[in-house]
Amino acid sequence: MKKSRIKLMSASLIGLAFTTPTFAAEDINLDDVVVTASRVPQTRESVIADVTVIDQEEIKRAGQSTLVELLAHQAGIEISSSGGAGTASGVFIRGTNTSHVVVLIDGMRVDSATLGTTAFENLPLGQIEKIEILRGPASTLYGQDAIGGVIQIFTKKGEGAVKFNGNVGYGSYNTKRANAGVSGSVGDTSFALNVSSLDTNSFSAINTKNKDYNDKDTYRNLAFSGKVSHQIEVGHEIGLQLLHSDGRVHFDNSCPTSDPVTFECITQKFDSKTDSKQYSFSVFSNNQFTDFWLSKVRIGEGVDESRTFDFGSVTGGDFYKTRQFQLSWQNDFKLPIGTLTLLYDNLNQNVNSSVSYTVAERDNDGFVASYLLNYDAHSLQLSARHDSNSQFGSHNTGSLGYGYKINPNWRITGSYGTAFKAPTFNDLYYPFFGNPNLKPELSRNIEASLRYQADNTSASATIYHQKVRDLIGYDDAFNVMNINKARIDGLSLSANQHFDNLNMGGSIDIQSPKDEKLDKLLVRRANRHASLYANYTLGDWRFGAETIASSIRYNNSTNSKSLGGYVLLNATVDYKFAKDWSVQARANNILDKEYALALDFGGEAYNTPGANLFVNIRYQPE
C-alpha cells in the first residue's frame, strides 16, 4: 500500500472523529440485530441470508472448552481435527473447503495468507461475546475467500455499571481453564478488559498402536482482549479493539519425510511442537453526520504467526507470519425507502517466512455498492463489488436476495450470489512448488428458504445449489493447477421449541458435496450430519443433553480411505448456588465413542477425546 494512501485515510479518520454533528443520531442496540449479513444492523427476523447468532448466554450454557467444539454443533458446519486441543483444525461451511471461510474478529481478518485458513484452535472462547455465522457466498460484501460463508467473532464489550467476572475450571486430561475480566461504562466511555488461560495435558495426537509413541501432546494458551469506546457527542463515537492469543501445542508427525516415488515413510517422529500467535488491533470512528448519513471508518491489522519445530525444521524453527493491514470506510445512507451503503475496503497482505517467496506482498482495493430494503412484507438486498488486486487483476462479484412475509408467522426467501477465492502465497510462490499463473477460484450459488417464527417456536428449511470452478489442485505430474470443479447440493433443516421450562431443537443437513471431475465426495465431508439438544430448567438447576452425528466421510479425493460415521452424546448440569455464582459440569462423549475426524499423511487416524468431564465455577454479576 502506498504511504500517501495511509496518511490520507488516517487523516480522514481523525477528521471524522472530531467533526461536530449536524443532527442527533439514533441509538442502535447491536444485541438485538445481525450485522454480518449485510454490514448494516438488521433485526434477526428481517435477514434474508442463512444466519446463526451465538450469543454470550448460549456460549455459557454450552460449557464448551474450545471454539472448534462450539462450532461443531452449528447447522451447516462440519469440522476436522488433527488431535486434541490446539492442534490444527478446519471448518467446512455447507460442504465448501476450509479455505472458503472468511473469519473476522471485530471486523479484522486474522487468517494465514500462506495456508489460506484460520487457526480456529488458537482463538480463545473466553474472549468472545458473540458469534455470527453467515452461510453462503459473501464476496460481494467481504471480498476474496468468502465462497462458503463468513464467521464473525465479536470480543467482549462493556456497558452499564463497572463489574468484574471470572471463572475457573478443571477436568479430564488435567485440563485447567480460567477467565477473568472487568467491564462497564464511566461517563461516556465504555470498556472491557479480559484475560483467559487454557492448559491441558490432552492425549496423543495420533492414534498409533505403538505404545512408545502414545505420548501426551500438551497445549497451553494465554490470551487477552480489550475494547474501549468513547462517545464524543451524540452520534459520534471513537474506539479501539485488540485481541492477542499466544499458544503452544505439541503434535505428532508420523511421517515427516517420505519417498517421492512410493510415498512410503522414510523417517518417523512423534514429538513436534508449534508456537502460534493470532492478534488483531483496530481503531474506529462512527459518525452520524446527518439523520440520513452514517459514516464508519476502521483501520487495523490482523496477524497470524507460527513457528514449528519438527524433523527437518531449520534452525530456530519453520517460521511463517502473515500481516494484513486493513482499512474500511463504510457510508450508510438512509433513503426514503431502504438504505444505500457505499464501501471502500483495502487489504494489504504481507508474508514473512523462513522460506523465501519470490513475491511476499499483494494489495487489494474493493469498492462496494449495496442496497437494503425492508418494507411492509417485502425484503430486498442487492450488492455489487469490484476488486482490484495487484496479483490477479480485477474481479467483480454480485448478489441478489428477496424475502416475502406470507403472514405473521411464515416467510420465504431466495438469493443468488457469486464469490471468489484468491490463491494463497503457497499456491503461487512457494519454492519449487508454486504456480504464479493461478487464477482465483470462482463460485455461483442459488438458494431458497422457508421459515416459521412464533412466540415459542422457530423452524426453517433451506435448499441450496452451489458450483465452484477453477479449484486449485494437482495435475498428474503434481503441478499446482486450476483443474477441479465442485458441485454442492444441500438441504438444511433446523427447529427450536420452547415449552415452559423445557427448550429443545436441532438441525439436520443433507448434502452432496461432490468433486465433479472424479464424481466423489469432497475430502472429509459427509452426506449427512445433525445436531440435537434439549435443556430443562428446575429452579436454580438446569439440565442439558446434546448429540452430534455424522455419516461416513473420506480422507482422500478418490474416496479410498474412509472415516467412519459416528454419534456423540454430551450432557451438562448447571446449578446457581448463590447470587451471581454458579457451577457447571459438562460430560463429553459419554458413550466413549472411538472415531476420527482426519487421517495423517501416513494413513494413521488422529485421536479424538474419549469420555471426559469438565467442572467450572463462574462468578457473573447480573
Side-chain angles (χ1 to χ4, degrees), residues 78-146:
E78 299 172 87
I79 66 168
S80 65
S81 176
S82 55
T87 57
S89 302
V91 171
F92 307 95
I93 296 183
R94 284 187 176 178
T96 58
N97 293 343
T98 56
S99 58
H100 291 163
V101 181
V102 167
V103 179
L104 304 171
I105 298 178
D106 292 320
M108 293 287 105
R109 290 176 179 247
V110 291
D111 58 308
S112 166
T114 54
L115 295 175
T117 55
T118 300
F120 286 96
E121 65 278 359
N122 208 46
L123 297 179
L125 199 57
Q127 305 295 329
I128 297 174
E129 174 81 20
K130 183 176 73 167
I131 302 170
E132 293 184 0
I133 302 170
L134 170 62
R135 303 175 190 84
S139 285
T140 185
L141 292 174
Y142 295 97
Q144 64 189 48
D145 309 332

Side-chain angles (χ1 to χ4, degrees), residues 37-251:
S38 62
R39 299 186 71 148
V40 174
Q42 294 177 264
T43 61
R44 296 191 191 189
E45 292 77 14
S46 66
V47 172
I48 295 172
D50 185 7
V51 174
T52 293
V53 178
I54 309 172
D55 61 24
Q56 180 63 202
E57 188 59 34
E58 291 177 78
I59 294 173
K60 288 190 295 185
R61 285 201 305 265
Q64 301 281 9
S65 295
T66 68
L67 174 60
V68 176
E69 290 175 341
L70 181 66
L71 292 175
H73 291 264
Q74 307 307 313
I77 289 184
E78 299 172 87
I79 66 168
S80 65
S81 176
S82 55
T87 57
S89 302
V91 171
F92 307 95
I93 296 183
R94 284 187 176 178
T96 58
N97 293 343
T98 56
S99 58
H100 291 163
V101 181
V102 167
V103 179
L104 304 171
I105 298 178
D106 292 320
M108 293 287 105
R109 290 176 179 247
V110 291
D111 58 308
S112 166
T114 54
L115 295 175
T117 55
T118 300
F120 286 96
E121 65 278 359
N122 208 46
L123 297 179
L125 199 57
Q127 305 295 329
I128 297 174
E129 174 81 20
K130 183 176 73 167
I131 302 170
E132 293 184 0
I133 302 170
L134 170 62
R135 303 175 190 84
S139 285
T140 185
L141 292 174
Y142 295 97
Q144 64 189 48
D145 309 332
I147 286 179
V150 176
I151 297 176
Q152 180 153 207
I153 296 167
F154 298 88
T155 54
K156 291 184 176 180
K157 64 178 182 179
E159 59 184 3
V162 176
K163 294 178 288 189
F164 292 87
N165 66 84
N167 66 76
V168 61
Y170 182 81
S172 303
Y173 307 116
N174 195 29
T175 299
K176 300 177 285 290
R177 187 181 69 191
N179 301 320
V182 57
S183 62
S185 298
V186 178
D188 293 325
T189 301
S190 298
F191 69 94
L193 299 173
N194 294 275
V195 62
S196 64
S197 68
L198 175 63
D199 193 311
T200 177
N201 286 353
S202 195
F203 43 82
S204 178
I206 290 181
N207 185 13
T208 177
K209 294 180 174 60
N210 189 330
K211 295 182 179 179
D212 295 333
Y213 296 136
N214 271 321
D215 59 338
K216 293 180 179 180
D217 289 307
T218 62
Y219 174 64
R220 60 102 178 128
N221 176 275
L222 180 64
F224 64 87
S225 65
K227 187 176 288 185
V228 179
S229 64
H230 177 72
Q231 182 174 277
I232 303 170
E233 296 186 48
V234 175
H236 287 252
E237 177 191 31
I238 60 173
L240 62 86
Q241 162 275 326
L242 64 90
L243 169 73
H244 188 284
S245 176
D246 191 336
R248 167 173 285 190
V249 63
H250 288 253
F251 64 95

Side-chain angles (χ1 to χ4, degrees), residues 19 52 68 104 112 137 166 221 259 275 340 360 364 421 427 436 441 445 460 474-475 477 503 550 568 607 612:
T19 302
T52 293
V68 176
L104 304 171
S112 166
N221 176 275
D259 186 283
D275 292 332
L340 173 66
N364 191 95
K421 179 197 176 299
D427 294 332
E441 300 177 354
N445 178 82
S460 69
Y474 304 92
D475 63 14
N503 185 45
S550 174
L568 305 178
N607 258 324
N612 63 90

Side-chain angles (χ1 to χ4, degrees), residues 545-615:
E546 62 191 33
T547 183
I548 183 170
S550 174
S551 62
I552 190 172
R553 293 140 294 121
Y554 297 93
N555 200 69
N556 60 341
S557 59
T558 59
N559 290 183
S560 60
K561 295 182 178 180
S562 63
L563 297 163
Y566 61 89
V567 177
L568 305 178
L569 178 63
N570 309 316
T572 58
V573 178
D574 292 81
Y575 175 59
K576 185 176 180 180
F577 60 88
K579 185 179 184 297
D580 303 331
W581 288 89
S582 62
V583 60
Q584 180 186 64
R586 179 179 176 88
N588 293 304
N589 194 7
I590 294 173
L591 303 179
D592 201 24
K593 172 69 175 179
E594 186 173 334
Y595 65 104
L597 296 172
L599 305 179
D600 80 335
F601 289 110
E604 294 189 89
Y606 286 112
N607 258 324
T608 50
N612 63 90
L613 178 68
F614 189 84
V615 179

